Amino acid sequence: MSPKQKRLLTRIIVALVIFFAIIALEETGALHAAFGSPGDVYAEFALFLIPYLIAGYDVIASAFRNLFRGHALDEDFLMTVATFGAFALVLFPHTEPHMAEGAAVMLFFQVGELFQSYAVDKSRKSIADMMDIAPEFANVMEEGKLKQVDPFELAPDDEFIVMPGERIPLDGIILTGDSQIDTAALTGESVPRTARPGDEVISGCVNLTGKLTVRATKPFEDSTVSRILELVENAAEKKARTENFITRFARVYTPIVVGVAAVLAIVPPLLLGGDWADWVLRGLTFLVVSCPCALVISVPLSFFGGIGGASRLGILVKGSNYLEALGSTETVVFDKTGTLTDGTFAVTELACAPGVTEAELVATAAAAEAFSTHPIAQSVRAYGDAMANGERPAANAAPLAERVRDVREVSGQGVEAVVDGRGVLVGNGKLMTAHGVPFQATDAAGTVLYVAADGAFLGTIVIADTIKPTAARAIADLHAAGVKKTVMLTGDRTDVAASVAARLGIDEVHAELLPQDKVAEVEKLLAATERDTRGKGKLAFVGDGINDAPVLTRADIGIAMGAMGSDAAIEAADIVLMNDNPDDITKAIDVARRTMRIVWQNIIFALGIKFAVLILAAFGIANMWMAVFADVGVAVIAILNAMRAMNVSRYEKR
């Protein structure tokens, strides 16, 4: 609790103690015994004025300040007028005094303000935790000594040192050192990651165990931490339609109800000859009930809580308008490479000829590809190294320079080499045909390498982009969450795209697309979604590459894979998944829908209670105590309900 909140709480407690002490004096008849009649009424007036002013002097001051600035019709003004009126009823002879109700309205209004302040601070803390990721310094070596400098002073290719317990100041690549990296503040991932030389690290993460020397790859202003802070700072500026509606509603609603309260207090006594005190009390009660606190506080707070809760999961939402739109998502469109797949080639399938072992097949191909820089060759070598370090060692462990000679790359076909004295071919069917090698063709999805030695076919190695471990679960969860259609758009070959889509359970796939083709497909899907849902459903596109930026911008909601995604994609997106985990899409939609449910619960509850009590107040049935509940009580309940949007503990356990 902040110092300001503590001071307000202290004032409320003191005022409540005095308030109930006066009530006790009144109930025991001590005031009447001491002052007689009507002196006891004026004594009550003076005594109740003490807790009233202790609790609400700042509200009264704010009301008068706003009055002179031309912003009179706010909740402070309504509370001040209503409570002044309740105390002023003492001027009407033969009228039951209402000073206790006047003091109670101010007291409980301040209780509501305290709840509001605490709830906003609690929600802000989720985002403030994100703001704390900004590093204060970077360590650099100067003349053999470690010196702390401002991260802004470093440029790409500059080297800096990160000691255990310090935040990484800039994005970079580890040159020396091994450590565990805590990425929880950025990605929501609770398990630390292992970092070794050659690994990329991002700014804002905490180095836990070892000393690291890092080479910067970006200036601080373009680093991950700077982009995150900018997104968080700008999120509050983009309001949801519901939030904007409530703001406009309050601007129109408040003057109307003030006018109705004035008419209710003045017109009946003038035209019908009614009792002035009775109708003024009705007008004041109407005024207290009409205060739109519950709406103007709880609705923005719900969105703020939803955004703050999402940030704890490593999901950055750029504004409540995007959170609202995400809650209506009916169609989710995915890019393939880097979104549903890792974007890296790997061996996915082996098929050996009779009498040939997998170890022999891979070792022969890896040796022939030993000096190639092609990504496919690197994938074969990596798989060979993994097998050599596992239970099935490669056949020959002699140095490659001694084993491999006469390497020749054949453009568009593959590699020819002499390995361990045998003529080895590794490539596609054209290479096998050119050398007259009979081989068993396959239609496996991916890049197919046929391997032969001395004219004999050894087998087949299939290289493909590996699917992310959580991708299949993400698609299943989206369907379970009520998403009507999932679509994959990719520039990859049709057979590869169809294989990936089938394995993941994606409803529709479009392959061999150029970037402009993806935009055209999204346009068609947008039109179909609008037609099928009568304009109520939204389309979300999930991508990570620079060529996805136009599609991210065109979709109703653009979702970027942020940790490894391109700057252009993150800039164009409305929501950023810092953990690059497709399963976080379902979490984001779930948070959005839950937030919207809370928003509408508060709107319906607040308006329902208020309109009911307003009608009762107009007919003189509702008293000032009912008005206190309809205003402050409803506001407190709505605030407590709004605070539920911050709770994302059930998602953190998944």
Side-chain angles (χ1 to χ4, degrees):
M1 188 174 286
S2 69
K4 183 178 180 181
Q5 291 167 351
K6 289 179 180 177
R7 288 194 296 270
L8 178 56
L9 178 60
T10 301
R11 284 167 45 203
I12 291 172
I13 292 172
V14 171
L16 280 172
V17 170
I18 297 173
F19 178 83
F20 285 113
I22 299 169
I23 293 291
L25 290 174
E26 188 180 45
E27 291 297 321
T28 58
L31 287 179
H32 183 75
F35 297 97
S37 181
D40 56 349
V41 174
Y42 297 110
E44 282 183 42
F45 179 92
L47 290 173
F48 277 120
L49 203 57
I50 296 171
Y52 173 78
L53 292 175
I54 290 174
Y57 71 86
D58 53 341
V59 175
I60 299 167
S62 174
F64 280 103
R65 278 197 306 270
N66 292 337
L67 181 63
F68 290 115
R69 292 172 183 170
H71 304 290
L73 297 180
D74 61 1
E75 57 266 28
D76 289 346
F77 177 79
L78 294 180
M79 288 300 104
T80 301
V81 171
T83 51
F84 274 18
F87 275 88
L89 287 174
V90 74
L91 301 175
F92 290 90
H94 312 297
T95 301
E96 183 181 351
H98 293 277
M99 289 81 71
E101 288 95 322
V105 167
M106 186 61 75
L107 266 167
F108 292 112
F109 175 72
Q110 287 290 57
V111 170
E113 290 291 294
L114 181 62
F115 268 94
Q116 174 201 351
S117 176
Y118 176 75
V120 169
D121 280 1
K122 189 175 175 64
S123 182
R124 278 201 180 120
K125 187 179 183 303
S126 298
I127 295 181
D129 289 342
M130 185 68 72
M131 302 298 281
D132 286 342
I133 63 178
E136 297 178 357
F137 61 86
N139 298 315
V140 296
M141 291 297 293
E142 288 187 4
E143 301 177 353
K145 295 182 179 180
L146 207 61
K147 180 182 178 182
Q148 292 184 352
V149 300
D150 193 310
F152 277 102
E153 297 179 17
L154 297 183
D157 294 327
D158 285 349
E159 296 182 11
F160 57 90
I161 295 171
V162 187
M163 304 300 288
E166 294 180 350
R167 288 195 182 275
I168 299 171
L170 285 88
D171 296 359
I173 297 175
I174 297 175
L175 299 179
T176 62
D178 295 329
S179 184
Q180 296 289 310
I181 304 293
D182 180 3
T183 65
L186 276 73
T187 67
E189 186 179 12
S190 58
V191 179
R193 296 181 181 180
T194 301
R196 299 185 177 91
D199 290 347
E200 293 184 3
V201 291
I202 56 178
S203 52
C205 298
V206 179
N207 178 25
L208 295 177
T209 55
K211 174 183 173 182
L212 298 176
T213 301
V214 183
R215 186 182 74 246
T217 54
K218 296 177 182 178
F220 182 78
E221 56 267 25
D222 295 333
S223 66
T224 300
V225 69
S226 293
R227 295 205 311 268
I228 291 173
L229 294 177
E230 184 179 354
L231 295 181
V232 172
E233 287 166 356
N234 295 334
E237 297 176 5
K238 299 173 181 176
K239 294 185 177 182
R241 287 185 302 171
T242 308
E243 199 172 353
N244 283 324
F245 167 75
I246 291 301
T247 303
R248 293 193 301 270
F249 173 82
R251 288 174 185 166
V252 175
Y253 163 87
T254 306
I256 290 175
V257 295
V258 169
V260 172
V263 169
L264 194 63
I266 297 172
V267 172
L270 287 176
L271 298 183
L272 304 176
D275 180 63
W276 275 95
D278 178 51
W279 286 101
V280 168
L281 181 60
R282 293 189 193 189
L284 294 174
T285 305
F286 194 92
L287 204 59
V288 173
V289 178
S290 68
C291 183
C293 300
L295 289 178
V296 298
I297 293 170
S298 67
V299 171
L301 182 61
S302 299
F303 282 113
F304 199 52
I307 292 173
S311 71
R312 285 172 51 193
L313 300 174
I315 302 167
L316 299 185
V317 183
K318 293 186 179 180
S320 55
N321 53 335
Y322 304 123
L323 197 69
E324 181 180 45
L326 189 64
S328 303
T329 299
E330 298 280 349
T331 303
V332 179
V333 183
F334 294 90
D335 171 54
K336 180 181 78 70
T337 306
T339 302
L340 295 172
T341 65
D342 288 325
T344 56
F345 288 106
V347 174
T348 58
E349 189 177 333
L350 297 173
C352 301
V356 179
T357 65
E358 289 185 352
E360 181 184 354
L361 173 67
V362 174
T364 302
E369 299 274 22
F371 303 106
S372 174
T373 58
H374 195 282
I376 290 176
Q378 293 173 356
S379 301
V380 174
R381 292 201 305 271
Y383 195 79
D385 291 341
M387 290 185 71
N389 294 326
E391 296 179 357
R392 299 173 295 175
N396 194 334
L400 287 172
E402 298 177 8
R403 298 174 54 206
V404 183
R405 59 184 174 82
D406 299 336
V407 178
R408 186 171 75 91
E409 292 197 22
V410 183
S411 179
Q413 295 186 17
V415 174
E416 301 174 6
V418 176
V419 179
D420 299 327
R422 297 191 302 169
V424 175
L425 304 173
V426 182
N428 56 26
K430 292 179 181 179
L431 184 65
M432 298 295 112
T433 302
H435 287 267
V437 177
F439 66 98
Q440 183 65 47
T442 179
D443 58 357
T447 300
V448 179
L449 298 179
Y450 299 106
V451 184
D454 288 339
F457 180 61
L458 300 183
T460 303
I461 300 174
V462 180
I463 310 290
D465 190 4
T466 54
I467 294 174
K468 289 183 176 180
T470 59
R473 186 178 68 185
I475 302 301
D477 287 348
L478 285 172
H479 285 135
V483 171
K484 299 292 190 298
K485 183 191 290 186
T486 54
V487 183
M488 185 174 74
L489 306 181
T490 178
D492 211 340
R493 298 199 326 263
T494 301
D495 57 338
V496 174
S499 173
V500 172
R503 290 166 64 186
L504 295 179
I506 290 176
D507 302 318
E508 189 177 317
V509 60
H510 301 274
E512 300 183 26
L513 301 175
L514 297 173
Q516 59 267 32
D517 298 330
K518 288 185 179 181
V519 176
E521 289 295 338
V522 166
E523 293 280 4
K524 295 177 186 176
L525 291 166
L526 280 166
T529 301
E530 185 171 358
R531 181 184 64 250
D532 296 342
T533 64
R534 298 181 180 178
K536 296 179 181 179
K538 301 296 181 183
L539 180 144
F541 178 84
V542 190
D544 79 316
I546 190 167
N547 62 338
D548 294 327
V551 199
L552 287 165
T553 304
R554 181 62 192 92
D556 292 321
I557 311 106
I559 303 175
M561 296 290 188
M564 298 299 290
S566 73
D567 292 348
I570 295 172
E571 186 69 27
D574 308 314
I575 295 170
V576 179
L577 307 181
M578 290 306 301
N579 206 25
D580 272 5
N581 184 356
D583 204 31
D584 284 348
I585 301 165
T586 312
K587 293 180 185 178
I589 291 175
D590 203 11
V591 168
R593 289 178 176 174
R594 184 165 176 263
T595 301
M596 290 309 302
R597 284 197 298 270
I598 291 171
V599 166
W600 283 106
Q601 286 168 5
N602 284 340
I603 291 173
I604 293 170
F605 173 70
L607 289 180
I609 295 294
K610 279 190 178 295
F611 284 136
V613 180
L614 282 174
I615 293 170
L616 295 177
F619 286 97
I621 300 172
N623 58 27
M624 193 68 81
W625 292 109
M626 290 180 66
V628 170
F629 169 76
D631 175 43
V632 180
V634 169
V636 170
I637 293 170
I639 288 168
L640 291 174
N641 192 41
M643 290 176 70
R644 292 171 49 232
M646 307 174 206
N647 184 10
V648 292
S649 56
R650 63 171 174 164
Y651 308 108
E652 293 174 322
K653 296 174 183 178
R654 288 175 57 179

